[in-house]
Amino acid sequence: MAETLTATALTLKDIAREAGVSLATVDRVLHNRPGVRPDTVRRVKAAIERNAFQPHVAAAELARGRARRFAFVMPSGPNPFMQQIEAYLGEMSAWLTVRRLNVELVATDVFDPSVLAGTLETLSGDYDGVAVVALDHPGVRAAINDLVDAGTKVVTLVSDVPSSRRHHYVGIDNIAAGRTAGALVGRLAGQKSGKVAIVAGSQGLRDHAERIFGFNQVMASEFPGLSVLPVLEGRDEDDRSEQVLARLLGKHADIVGLYNVGAGTQGVAKALNDKALNDKALSDAGRNEVVFVGHDVTVLTRRLLLQGVMDAAISQNPGHEARAAVRVLLALARGEPILREQEKIRIDIVMRDNLP
Amino acid sequence: MAETLTATALTLKDIAREAGVSLATVDRVLHNRPGVRPDTVRRVKAAIERNAFQPHVAAAELARGRARRFAFVMPSGPNPFMQQIEAYLGEMSAWLTVRRLNVELVATDVFDPSVLAGTLETLSGDYDGVAVVALDHPGVRAAINDLVDAGTKVVTLVSDVPSSRRHHYVGIDNIAAGRTAGALVGRLAGQKSGKVAIVAGSQGLRDHAERIFGFNQVMASEFPGLSVLPVLEGRDEDDRSEQVLARLLGKHADIVGLYNVGAGTQGVAKALNDKALNDKALSDAGRNEVVFVGHDVTVLTRRLLLQGVMDAAISQNPGHEARAAVRVLLALARGEPILREQEKIRIDIVMRDNLP
DNA sequence: GGTGTTTTGAGGTACGCAACTCATTTTGAG
DNA sequence: CTCAAAATGAGTTGCGTACCTCAAAACACC
C-alpha cells in the first residue's frame, strides 16, 4: 500500500571502502584533481556509478564556504517584460541568501552585438554563472563560447543563441508561440473571412521572426479564408506602432484579426480603439470586432483583456523564467542533473478568465 | 550598472552577539525549547527580525541528520491524471534522495470519507508532512485537523478542504477553470446560437460542482445565444458517459458546444464522433461541428486535440503539482517561507499548437 | 640497487547548525 | 537572607563534504 520513492543515501566513506581506496583519493577523482592513476580513477568512478552516488547537497554546500556569483545580463531599456523578470529575481532574495548565492543584474544594450559581446567579456572569470538575454550574432556567439571555455555556466534567457555552446536555454519555442497565436486569431474570428494584420518590433529580431513564421504557417494551412497583410514594423514603440497600424486600418476595411508580435501594445490598442469608435462598431458584448492577440501579461495587457479589447495573450511566465534560470545555473554549477520538465517554459494562453 | 540582489548572510553567532546572549539561548528560542524568560525570548526574536536572519539551509539540513518522511495519499483507482502526478514524483527520486527526503505513496479510496479519514489517522505521528487528494467531508476535515494538531504539515492536492486547517492547497481555482471553459466554448462557437451540453462525473464532487458553476456563470452573462442543457452525470466512466451523451445528442440536433468536466473523455469523444459520422457533417477543415472543451492533457486528450476532435483542454500541470506539493511540504517543515507565486498552479489553456 | 617522480593514505580543519550536558548565575518565594 | 528553581553560559559532538598538508608507498628509469 505504501510505496517508497527514495533510495538510501551513501556517503563518500562508503564509496572509498567500495573502491578500496582512501577518502583522499575519492576526493581527488571527484574534483578532477591530478595525481591519480587512470586505473584507479576508473575503479573509483565505477564504484560511484554502481551505487548511483550523489554527494549530499547540504554538506557540499556547507563545506565549500564561498558564495556563488551569478550575473543576469538584461536589456537596459524600459521593457515591461524584462522588468517583471527583474522584479521576480528580487522576490527571490531571501531564497538566494540562505543558499549563499549572489545574483547581480547587469544592464546593457543587448541590441548592439558589439556592446553585448563586450559586456560578456568583462564578466569572464568573475562569475560562476551567467544568464543573458542574447541577440543571435556571431560576435555574441563567440563571447558566449569564451565564457563557457573559461568554466562559466551560461544560460540564454528569453532569446536563444542555438549555435553557441551555451549550456541551456530558458524560454519558449517562438515558432510554436506564433502558431498558437495564429490558431487563436483564426478560431476566434469564427466563420468570417477577411484580412489579418501583423505588427512586430522588427523582423530582424530572431524571436519576432520566428513567431511570424509560425503564425503564417497556421494561417496558410488552416484558415484559407483569411489573408495575411505584410508585416508592419513598430520597433516595439507605442507611437510608431499606432501610426503604422492606424494607416493600415484606414486602408483596409475588412481587417478581422490582428497579431501584435512584440511590445508597443499601448499604441496598437489605441489605433484599434480609434477605429472602433469611428466605425461605431463595438458589438453588443462590448467586444471589438477585430480579434486581437498579443504577447505577455503586463499591467496594460491585463486591462485590455479585462476590457475585452484584447482577446488573448500568449504568455511566458516571467516568474518561472527568473526562477528557472537561477535553478538551472545552480544545478549546472553544482553538477546536479537538471529537471528538464520543471525548467521548461510553457506557452501560456491567457484569456480574461484565466488571468494569473 | 551591476546591482546585487542578495544580502550578506549572518550566522547564529552574530544573532547571539546582537541580542547579548549565548548561542545556547538563541538555539532555545529558535527551537521553542523551554527555560527562557519571556523577556529574553523577545530580545532574541527582535534581533532575528531586525537582521532578517534565516538559518543557513545547508547547515541546518546537515545538522538535523534524520531524513524527513512525507506521505502522498492518492486515489487507488486508475485515474490518468493521478498517475501522471505519481509518475512525476517518481522522476524526482534523485532530487529527493540528495535532500534526504522519503516520499511514500499511500493509495486509498479517497471517495469514501470514512476510509479516507481512517487512512489519514494511521499516518499520524509517523510523518513530517502529508499531501492528500481530499474529499470535502466533515470526517475528512476532522482527520486533517488531527494531523495538523499532531505537528504534521498538511497540504491538500488537486481537491481542497478549505474549512480544514490544512497549511496549503496545491491546485487550481476550479470556478475560474469552469469560467475559462465557458469562455472558450462560447468564443469558439462563434456567432452560432444553439445548445450546450455538460458532462460531469458527479455534481457531488466539489471540483466538478465548482467548474460547472463557473461555466454557467460565463454562459449566462456573456453568451445569451447559447442555452445550457441539464448536466449529464457520467461518473467519470467511459461507457456511461458515452451512453448519456449519445442519447442527448440524439434528442437535440442543435447542440453546438460540449464541456466535459471530468474524466470519461474516451466515451465522450466516441459519442461525438458517432454523431458526426451520422450527420456526415465534418467541416472541410476536418473539424467537428460541436465545440468540445475538456480537462487535462493525457495521451488521449493529446490525440483528440491533434485530430481536431477536441478544441481545447483546460489543464493543470501535474508535474508542477507534484513538485509544488513536495516543495511546500519541505518549506513548511523547515519553517522557510513559501514562494506563493512559484507554487501557485495555473489554469492552462492547451490547444493543438501549444501542447506541452 | 638507487634515484627521482608519481601515486596514495592518513589525518586535520572548517563550514553553520542541532542537540545535548553540565556548571554557573540569577531570580523569586518563603 | 536562604534555598530551590529557573535561566543562562560555555562547551562538546556530529552531520558529509571540500580542501589542505605531510609522509609513506609504489613505480619508472637508468
Side-chain angles (χ1 to χ4, degrees), chain A residues 13-23 25-26 40 43-44 47:
Chain A
K13 219 186 297 183
D14 301 316
I15 298 300
R17 192 164 4 88
E18 275 256 342
V21 298
S22 74
L23 258 175
T25 301
V26 177
T40 313
R43 258 168 48 225
V44 173

Side-chain angles (χ1 to χ4, degrees), chain A residues 204-277:
Chain A
L205 292 172
R206 184 190 189 87
D207 48 350
H208 286 203
E210 288 182 345
R211 289 173 184 178
I212 294 168
F213 177 78
F215 186 87
N216 283 329
Q217 231 180 24
V218 168
M219 295 308 277
S221 68
E222 288 183 50
F223 302 100
L226 299 174
S227 69
V228 180
L229 295 167
V231 176
L232 302 173
E233 301 206 351
R235 295 188 194 157
D236 280 359
E237 295 160 14
D238 291 330
D239 291 347
R240 193 177 162 85
S241 298
E242 182 185 349
Q243 285 165 23
V244 293
L245 180 57
R247 196 176 319 138
L248 194 76
L249 288 170
K251 203 152 57 174
H252 304 272
D254 56 345
I255 290 181
V256 296
L258 166 63
Y259 176 35
N260 185 30
V261 183
T265 311
Q266 179 101 59
V268 169
K270 188 143 190 306
L272 215 51
N273 261 339
D274 289 351
K275 193 237 178 194
L277 288 176

